[in-house]
Amino acid sequence: METLVLSQSFEPVARVPWQRAVMLIFQGKVEVVEEYEDRLVRSVTVEIRMPSVIRFIRGLRRRPKGVKFSRENVYLRDKCRCQYCGLKVTRPEATYDHVLPRAQGGKTSWENIVIACVPCNQKKGNRTPEQARMALRTTPGKPRKLPESMHLTFMFEKGMPMSWAKFLRDVAYWHVELEE
């Protein structure tokens, strides 16, 4: 069983095993918002209902180091678009292209990785954009921050506890393209 973790402002931030949730409760870091009605946790001296949703009592610390270099953050930096043709690319369809190929001395860094669709990545191959006669839409670089609206959002899915539903956003509702 898992427990949904909320920030101080009731925003979903994680899913953790119930054992971790119980530890956070006893450390005084979280409060229980919802419980599983039919599940109990017992020790020799204590019996409590298993937590379904918990909330941090204090605000979460922000990492001052800047944006972590990860595939997800490159995808967000590039606004979910192929940096060669500009088409919107879903996460599963996205490929990560070395602008200067590793075979030519390119490094895996913010300044050398971009999102590309499969056709553009195959067309470019093991060449630079200039060698492949392709143009980059933007110059890759390390972002200072990522757009707030692009951060990971948990979505309520079939099989999740119903007690989570009111805290999880319907991603499709917020991210579907609207007609003009």
Side-chain angles (χ1 to χ4, degrees):
M1 297 294 300
E2 288 187 311
T3 301
L4 179 65
V5 182
L6 305 176
S7 68
Q8 186 181 22
S9 59
F10 290 89
E11 293 290 321
V13 293
R15 293 164 59 169
V16 298
W18 67 266
Q19 297 92 330
R20 174 78 175 130
V22 170
M23 186 184 339
L24 291 169
I25 292 166
F26 283 107
Q27 290 174 342
K29 295 181 178 182
V30 298
E31 67 180 355
V32 177
V33 177
E34 298 278 343
E35 299 170 329
Y36 290 106
E37 293 297 323
D38 58 341
R39 308 238 182 216
L40 293 175
V41 177
R42 293 184 178 108
S43 74
V44 176
T45 57
V46 177
E47 179 179 288
I48 64 169
R49 283 205 169 103
M50 188 181 294
S52 171
V53 180
I54 58 176
R55 179 181 81 97
F56 278 103
I57 296 169
R58 293 193 179 101
L60 298 172
R61 290 185 195 154
R62 299 279 182 215
R63 292 186 181 142
K65 297 178 184 177
V67 180
K68 180 176 97 174
F69 180 59
S70 69
R71 291 173 189 259
E72 175 72 13
N73 288 342
V74 171
Y75 182 76
L76 296 176
R77 177 203 66 191
D78 291 350
K79 297 182 174 82
C80 318
R81 295 194 176 276
C82 172
Q83 294 302 293
Y84 297 105
C85 69
L87 288 176
K88 191 162 189 150
V89 185
T90 65
R91 281 180 183 87
E93 296 170 333
T95 63
Y96 303 91
D97 179 60
H98 287 79
V99 177
L100 176 63
R102 290 189 299 187
Q104 296 184 34
K107 305 287 183 205
T108 302
S109 67
W110 280 112
E111 295 75 21
N112 195 45
I113 298 286
V114 295
I115 293 297
C117 65
V118 172
C120 285
N121 203 344
Q122 289 176 341
K123 178 181 174 186
K124 181 178 167 287
N126 203 20
R127 302 175 289 179
T128 65
E130 294 79 24
Q131 292 167 343
R133 295 194 171 124
M134 297 171 75
L136 273 172
R137 296 181 152 271
T138 60
T139 303
K142 182 177 180 177
R144 291 185 187 188
K145 66 178 188 171
L146 296 171
E148 288 295 322
S149 64
M150 296 295 285
H151 286 294
L152 179 65
T153 304
F154 291 98
M155 179 173 63
F156 186 78
E157 299 169 359
K158 185 177 179 181
M160 287 182 170
M162 286 306 297
S163 59
W164 294 15
K166 62 185 168 190
F167 301 105
L168 298 178
R169 294 190 173 117
D170 181 355
V171 174
Y173 176 81
W174 289 104
H175 294 281
V176 70
E177 190 168 342
L178 300 175
E179 294 179 21
E180 291 185 24

